[in-house]
């Protein structure tokens, strides 16, 4: 299946189970002081979980644009360096607002993965919340028992509060979760080390694909947990990871979510993409292909790069991409803006906000690139002139001057 077909089949599956399709909300958060960007599909439903608004549809599905670059969920430093984290990503989700709970969430997730997507059952592992004394929470026996009806016990692993108790931020709706992990290593590797040993161990081929959250609590600012008025389901599946699995490739960047962007970076830079985890040019190509998505979608959602708050986060993401392009791909002219049309072609149909703002995104990105390239050149000259006069250490005052020039720390020794 192509990425577009995968998204469609997920949504169709849940529509057939009486879920209403709801469009992705803007990735930029304007009315929640606890959040800068949407970091999960559930954000737009926060008030429904809390019981603050009337529930129109008790079952909902969608594909939400998320950005995990600040606050509790921040993957920025992993992006590009590994092959399965992203700044902007799509989260496929199904929700129940006071309707079905653990049993259906678990059995439908299994049905979709193994019967619709035809994922091999013995590639899958599931995790269950083991409990947490500090919150007075016990092992999630209910989820454990439902999983036992579906998979053998050796595939059900216990997870701690960090991995198996999902919270959107320091406060807000939360609850125990059950994750589904997939092992896409070769048979030979599987024979050497069982997949169960690698779950939640940051292995690039043994990764979480779907998180089923059983929302029951609200974390108060005091840190205490309060029971929600009803029990809900919030699930999140990594669309790019699912595409990787279903397309039989070993990296999200080798799926057709990314290959058109990567091909364009290859064309513009003249460097080949070899799909290696450790290659510096491959990392740079991944960083650029990833970051353009975050920046273009943020602009399409009304967030311009700027010097403060959310705008500064977007500016830094773009500058990280420019820096990788400049230092690893030898590109000293604006080029990232040229990827926006490729992105529009891929995603503009499902996310029409992108098509509408495509020209604006190109213009803003080009200007930002131009300005930062000038800054970068000036800063590097300054550094080179300075470092001719010293051997080992740099004066603190000069380091701060440089920091001021770039706006954030850059490793100039790379
Ligand atoms: N809200 C579920 C997740 O983000 O994993």
């Amino acid at each position: 299946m192509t990425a577009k077909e995968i998204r469609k089949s997920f949504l169709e599956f849940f529509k057939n189970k009486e879920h209403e399709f709801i469009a992705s909300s803007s990735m930029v958060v304007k009315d929640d002081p606890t959040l800068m960007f949407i970091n999960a599909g559930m954000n737009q439903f926060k008030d429904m979980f809390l019981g603050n608004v009337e529930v129109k549809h008790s079952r909902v599905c969608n594909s939400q644009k998320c950005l995990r670059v600040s606050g509790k969920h921040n993957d920025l430093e992993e992006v590009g360096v590994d092959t399965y984290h992203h700044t902007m990503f799509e989260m496929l989700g199904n929700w129940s607002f006071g309707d079905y709970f653990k049993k259906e969430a678990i059995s439908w997730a299994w049905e979709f993965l193994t019967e619709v997507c035809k994922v091999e059952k013995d590639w899958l592992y599931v995790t269950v919340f083991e409990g947490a004394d500090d919150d007075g929470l016990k092992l999630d026996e209910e989820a454990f028992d439902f999983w036992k009806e579906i998979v053998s016990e050796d595939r059900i692993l216990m997870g701690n509060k960090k991995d198996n108790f999902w919270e959107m931020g320091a406060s807000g709706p939360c609850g125990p979760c059950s994750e589904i992990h997939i092992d896409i290593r070769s048979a030979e590797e599987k024979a050497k080390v069982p997949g169960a040993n690698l779950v939640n161990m940051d292995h690039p081929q043994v990764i979480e694909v779907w998180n089923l959250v059983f929302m029951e609590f609200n974390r108060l600012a005091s840190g205490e947990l309060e029971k929600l008025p009803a029990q809900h389901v919030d699930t999140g599946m990594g669309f790019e990871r699912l595409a990787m699995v279903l397309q039989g490739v070993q990296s999200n960047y080798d799926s057709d979510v990314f290959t058109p962007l990567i091909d364009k970076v290859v064309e513009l830079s003249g460097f080949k993409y070899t799909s290696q985890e450790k290659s510096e040019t491959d990392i740079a190509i991944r960083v650029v292909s990833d970051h353009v998505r975050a920046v273009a979608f943020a602009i399409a959602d009304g967030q311009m790069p700027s010097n403060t708050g959310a705008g500064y986060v977007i500016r830094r993401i773009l500058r990280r991409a420019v820096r990788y392009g400049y230092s690893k791909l030898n590109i000293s002219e604006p080029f990232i803006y040229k990827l926006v049309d490729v992105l529009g072609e891929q995603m503009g149909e499902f996310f029409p906000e992108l098509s509408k703002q495509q020209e604006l995104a190109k213009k803003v990105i080009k200007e930002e690139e131009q300005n930062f390239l000038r800054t970068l050149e000036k800063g590097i000259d300054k550094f080179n002139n300075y470092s001719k006069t010293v051997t080992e250490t740099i004066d603190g005052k000069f380091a701060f001057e440089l920091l001021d020039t770039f706006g954030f720390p850059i490793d100039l020794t790379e």
Side-chain angles (χ1 to χ4, degrees):
M1 283 195 273
T2 63
K4 283 184 189 168
E5 287 163 352
I6 292 169
R7 191 195 285 118
K8 191 160 170 248
S9 83
F10 176 87
L11 297 173
E12 287 304 317
F13 178 83
F14 283 101
K15 279 190 214 162
N16 286 335
K17 300 208 182 297
E18 289 149 49
H19 288 62
E20 183 75 15
F21 169 74
I22 304 267
S24 170
S25 69
S26 162
M27 212 164 63
V28 182
V29 179
K30 293 284 180 214
D31 55 359
D32 184 342
T34 69
L35 210 59
M36 209 177 245
F37 297 102
I38 292 293
N39 65 10
M42 56 73 65
N43 298 157
Q44 68 165 312
F45 306 120
K46 182 176 170 183
D47 278 331
M48 291 205 206
F49 292 128
L50 293 175
N52 292 341
V53 292
E54 195 196 332
V55 172
K56 276 205 202 92
H57 306 285
S58 63
R59 296 180 182 191
V60 158
C61 61
N62 81 350
S63 184
Q64 171 68 47
K65 297 169 286 181
C66 300
L67 193 55
R68 288 193 172 174
V69 289
S70 55
K72 181 169 163 48
H73 299 276
N74 186 348
D75 297 328
L76 184 59
E77 293 312 318
E78 269 82 52
V79 176
V81 179
D82 74 20
T83 52
Y84 59 102
H85 280 101
H86 300 291
T87 51
M88 180 260 166
F89 64 98
E90 277 183 66
M91 188 178 279
L92 301 170
N94 57 290
W95 284 270
S96 149
F97 304 115
D99 188 335
Y100 62 85
F101 202 41
K102 297 181 189 179
K103 187 176 171 50
E104 292 84 349
I106 288 174
S107 70
W108 289 343
W110 192 257
E111 183 186 337
F112 178 72
L113 283 178
T114 62
E115 288 174 31
V116 178
C117 299
K118 309 263 185 254
V119 172
E120 300 281 349
K121 291 182 183 151
D122 62 5
W123 289 15
L124 298 172
Y125 293 87
V126 301
T127 62
V128 165
F129 179 52
E130 67 185 8
D133 289 343
D134 55 345
D135 279 322
L137 297 170
K138 297 213 165 49
L139 160 76
D140 187 351
E141 268 181 66
E142 220 185 338
F144 185 77
D145 289 342
F146 289 133
W147 278 121
K148 253 187 353 193
E149 289 172 21
I150 299 178
V151 290
S152 58
E153 263 189 61
D154 59 335
R155 296 195 164 264
I156 311 175
L157 310 170
M158 292 300 134
N160 59 20
K161 184 165 145 181
K162 178 180 147 285
D163 292 317
N164 280 76
F165 191 84
W166 200 84
E167 315 200 32
M168 72 173 259
S171 61
C174 54
C177 57
S178 230
E179 295 177 339
I180 305 179
H181 293 251
I182 189 155
D183 181 358
I184 55 166
R185 292 172 306 148
S186 65
E188 202 186 354
E189 284 173 281
K190 285 178 187 172
K192 275 193 229 145
V193 183
N197 296 4
L198 299 174
V199 165
N200 279 328
M201 301 297 280
D202 292 328
H203 190 292
Q205 272 93 43
V206 184
I207 54 166
E208 175 199 343
V209 274
W210 204 341
N211 189 12
L212 317 178
V213 186
F214 312 120
M215 290 284 185
E216 282 188 83
F217 301 103
N218 182 20
R219 175 84 64 192
L220 303 175
S222 65
E224 274 167 292
L225 290 178
E226 179 186 65
K227 269 268 183 201
L228 289 171
Q231 293 176 316
H232 315 278
V233 168
D234 151 30
T235 88
M237 175 146 60
F239 171 64
E240 298 77 11
R241 293 181 184 187
L242 183 64
M244 165 182 79
V245 171
L246 300 188
Q247 294 178 6
V249 290
Q250 300 283 304
S251 151
N252 290 5
Y253 293 90
D254 291 336
S255 76
D256 70 343
V257 177
F258 283 96
T259 46
L261 290 167
I262 289 190
D263 290 348
K264 189 73 184 172
V265 183
V266 166
E267 179 197 315
L268 294 169
S269 68
F271 280 91
K272 282 209 175 88
Y273 182 68
T274 57
S275 208
Q276 303 297 310
E277 215 187 322
K278 303 262 181 286
S279 148
E280 290 203 334
T281 48
D282 284 357
I283 292 174
I285 293 171
R286 290 197 287 270
V287 165
V288 172
S289 309
D290 172 278
H291 290 13
V292 66
R293 293 164 27 108
V295 177
F297 271 103
I299 295 170
D301 279 343
Q303 184 58 66
M304 296 297 146
S306 74
N307 266 344
T308 53
Y312 189 53
V313 174
I314 298 305
R315 175 166 280 169
R316 284 187 64 161
I317 296 174
L318 183 55
R319 288 182 169 190
R320 187 169 185 258
V322 175
R323 166 85 178 122
Y324 270 92
Y326 183 87
S327 64
K328 307 289 180 207
L329 303 174
N330 304 338
I331 307 182
S332 49
E333 294 292 321
F335 75 107
I336 298 171
Y337 77 97
K338 293 183 183 163
L339 302 172
V340 175
D341 283 342
V342 179
L343 189 64
E345 183 72 26
Q346 277 178 283
M347 299 180 79
E349 192 184 334
F350 191 74
F351 297 106
E353 63 277 24
L354 182 66
S355 308
K356 278 193 208 125
Q357 302 298 348
Q358 205 161 309
E359 291 311 311
L360 175 72
K362 274 159 62 180
K363 189 167 167 281
V364 172
I365 293 175
K366 187 176 179 187
E367 272 171 25
E368 284 284 316
E369 286 190 86
Q370 260 158 352
N371 289 341
F372 186 57
L373 281 165
R374 272 201 292 270
T375 306
L376 203 53
E377 272 160 12
K378 240 195 296 169
I380 288 170
D381 276 352
K382 223 183 204 180
F383 175 76
N384 287 341
N385 289 336
Y386 180 90
S387 65
K388 271 184 211 132
T389 63
V390 288
T391 46
E392 281 169 7
T393 44
I394 285 184
D395 175 56
K397 189 166 167 283
F398 180 69
F400 277 103
E401 247 175 63
L402 271 184
L403 190 62
D404 217 35
T405 309
F406 293 129
F408 58 93
I410 283 180
D411 184 355
L412 289 169
T413 60
E414 277 178 345

